[in-house]
């Protein structure tokens, strides 16, 4: 449903559509997490991004937000400000029902290989996630 909404958001040039993928993470503070493999997949169209991941407590999580990036030569830094649904507390886990929480994700991508493969590092809370981005 989120992907259909993004695809229907007016005319945007093809080079502004990207797939995001995040795989493994390292948690810097949290020690009660249950997994470090997330299979985060997101679609960015223009400045909007939405997607899915298996969070660190093994719960299905969905996110949507506004994307902003800045390039420095072969490197792009970026931020996504939005919301995520899938955690029971906005930081941590208490076993109750899922909540909608604010989300700030930061990242950096290397642009020097190909527009179809941009190795990336995402920072989500205290989890640093490795992955890639791909334009299509």
């Amino acid at each position: 449903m989120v992907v259909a909404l993004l695809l229907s958001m007016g005319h945007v040039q093809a080079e502004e559509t990207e797939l995001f993928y995040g795989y493994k993470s390292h948690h810097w503070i949290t020690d009660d997490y249950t997994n470090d493999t997330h299979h985060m997949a997101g679609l960015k169209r223009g400045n909007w991004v939405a997607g899915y991941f298996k969070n660190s407590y093994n719960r299905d999580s969905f996110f949507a937000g506004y994307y902003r990036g800045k390039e420095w030569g072969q490197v792009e830094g970026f931020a996504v400000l939005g919301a995520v649904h899938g955690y029971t507390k906005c930081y941590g886990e208490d076993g109750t029902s899922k909540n909608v929480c604010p989300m700030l994700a930061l990242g950096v991508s290397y642009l020097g290989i190909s527009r179809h493969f941009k190795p990336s590092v995402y920072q989500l809370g205290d989890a640093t996630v490795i992955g890639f981005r791909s334009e299509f």
Side-chain angles (χ1 to χ4, degrees):
M1 180 170 78
V2 172
V3 172
L5 175 65
L6 284 172
L7 293 174
S8 68
M9 296 171 80
H11 176 68
V12 177
Q13 295 177 4
E15 68 269 12
E16 293 185 36
T17 302
E18 281 189 283
L19 171 71
F20 284 46
Y21 180 75
Y23 182 58
K24 285 280 195 185
S25 69
H26 174 77
H27 291 79
W28 298 97
I29 299 169
T30 306
D31 55 3
D32 67 342
Y33 63 91
T34 61
N35 69 296
D36 63 359
T37 303
H38 306 287
H39 298 296
M40 183 266 299
L43 183 66
K44 180 177 91 65
R45 181 128 178 163
N47 287 340
W48 298 98
V49 63
Y52 162 86
F53 63 98
K54 186 69 80 169
N55 74 27
S56 299
Y57 300 100
N58 208 35
R59 292 179 177 264
D60 293 327
S61 300
F62 301 90
F63 65 92
Y66 183 80
Y67 174 97
R68 189 72 174 178
K70 175 129 176 88
E71 290 184 21
W72 295 276
Q74 298 291 343
V75 174
E76 180 183 7
F78 58 91
V80 176
L81 181 62
V84 61
H85 178 264
Y87 291 91
T88 61
K89 292 181 1 181
C90 289
Y91 189 84
E93 174 72 23
D94 66 5
T96 61
S97 61
K98 296 179 184 179
N99 291 308
V100 175
C101 297
M103 179 187 83
L104 173 62
L106 303 173
V108 63
S109 296
Y110 178 66
L111 310 176
I113 296 174
S114 161
R115 63 182 279 246
H116 301 292
F117 182 71
K118 302 174 188 177
S120 301
V121 177
Y122 308 96
Q123 189 66 42
L124 305 160
D126 76 326
T128 302
V129 181
I130 60 167
F132 67 89
R133 295 166 46 193
S134 180
E135 290 181 37
F136 58 96

